[in-house]
Structure formats: structure tokens, C-alpha cells
Amino acid sequence: MAKVNNLESLLASLTERTSGEDVTVRDMLNAVGRRSYGPILLLLGFIAISPLTIIPGTSWLVALVILLIAGQILLGRPFPWVPRRILDMSFPRAALVNGVEQARKYARPVDKVLKPRLPFLSQPPFIGLAALVCIAAALVMFPLGLIPFGPVLPSLAVLLFGLGLTARDGVLLIGAGCGLAGAVWLLLRVWSALPFG
């Protein structure tokens, strides 16, 4: 079982625990640990801002899985469950490795600020509020997926939530909420610019 406790360990797990030309969702989840919500949401946030999203429909697929995972947190399930059809979906591993290499330069500075702060925010009942943030971020990703780089802010909110949950860092969970607020603001700006907005 992989031990993911920060961004660097997530990136290392994705490259060291996967192989071949293609990588499935199952492979990636197994690489980071399928029985923990934090690393899975961290993985989903990372995928959503990685080069994998150049594949048509990837952003919406990630948003759908985020809805599924965050919904299970809200329902109080002890371990996350993902449908087999989603687990079997595959992507070029080269795109994953490329995303990991691009992210490495940001990982160490981010991890340096991680520490247990306001840890009660990563536990019930507050974790339910954080799950609602992820659900809202996923819902915002659907319309923003229609514009270039639109899903970046809500994806960043999910990444911060996963990182904060993994590191028990409540300050990052608050940051996730701020990221979502920025995403909603962007969506409202885009909507108002439309002819029927």
C-alpha cells in the first residue's frame, strides 16, 4: 500500500507504481492508495490540472468521479468505492509522466508549508462541509470545461482539499474554499459575457 502524505509522495507513487504505455484509473488509484479519501481527491485534483485533460472529455470524467467520491464522504462511507467501468478507463502513461515532471518543481515548495493546522477541520462534522466544497467545485467544472483552462480553479480547489485532508492541514481546506469562490466568480463572469447571460 502506497503511503501518500504530501504532493511529492503522490508524484513519486504515480511514476514508481505504474508502468506500460497506458495507465488505467485503477492503476493510479492503487498507486496512491484506494482506501483513503485524501490521496484520491489529491490525485483527482492533480489529474484535472495535468496534461491528461487535453484528452477530450477527461475534465468531465474527473468531475464525475469527484462528485462520486465527495458524495461518499458526505454519506459517511468509511472507504471510497468507484465503479468498475471508470476503473478500467485508460490514458497514455506518457501524459501522466509529463504532468508529474511539470509538477515536481512546485511540489517541494508546497510541501514545505504543509503541517497539521486546525486539524479538526479535517474530521467530522467539518469534513462534510469540505466535501460540499468538492461537490460544488465538480459541478462548476462541467460548464467551465467548455472554455480553455476553465476547470483549473475548481480543480485546484479539489487538489487543495485532497492535500489538506491528507496532511490534516485545515488551513489548506480553507484555501480550497477560496479556490472554489474564485471558480464561481469566473463562471459568473463568463456567463454574463454570453449573449443570453
Side-chain angles (χ1 to χ4, degrees), residues 68-103:
L68 177 67
I69 298 297
Q72 291 178 67
I73 294 175
L74 207 56
L75 293 174
R77 284 183 59 93
F79 304 113
W81 170 83
V82 180
R84 180 175 294 180
R85 178 170 293 185
I86 292 177
L87 290 174
D88 290 337
M89 290 183 174
S90 64
F91 306 92
R93 186 171 179 273
L96 175 66
V97 172
N98 183 27
V100 167
E101 291 306 314
Q102 290 181 23

Side-chain angles (χ1 to χ4, degrees), residues 9-31:
S9 60
L10 174 91
L11 299 178
S13 292
L14 287 175
T15 53
E16 294 169 6
R17 296 175 181 266
T18 62
S19 59
E21 292 187 4
D22 294 320
V23 59
T24 64
V25 173
R26 179 183 285 102
D27 295 333
M28 289 187 281
L29 292 179
N30 287 339

Side-chain angles (χ1 to χ4, degrees), residues 120-144:
F120 63 90
L121 291 178
S122 66
Q123 299 173 6
F126 298 100
I127 193 173
L129 294 175
L132 285 174
V133 168
C134 279
I135 289 171
L139 292 174
V140 170
M141 285 172 69
F142 286 106
L144 289 182

Side-chain angles (χ1 to χ4, degrees), residues 115-168:
K115 57 184 175 181
R117 294 173 291 191
L118 308 177
F120 63 90
L121 291 178
S122 66
Q123 299 173 6
F126 298 100
I127 193 173
L129 294 175
L132 285 174
V133 168
C134 279
I135 289 171
L139 292 174
V140 170
M141 285 172 69
F142 286 106
L144 289 182
L146 296 171
I147 60 175
F149 305 107
V152 169
L153 275 177
S155 301
L156 186 60
V158 175
L159 187 144
L160 289 176
F161 173 64
L163 196 54
L165 185 58
T166 300
R168 300 290 185 263

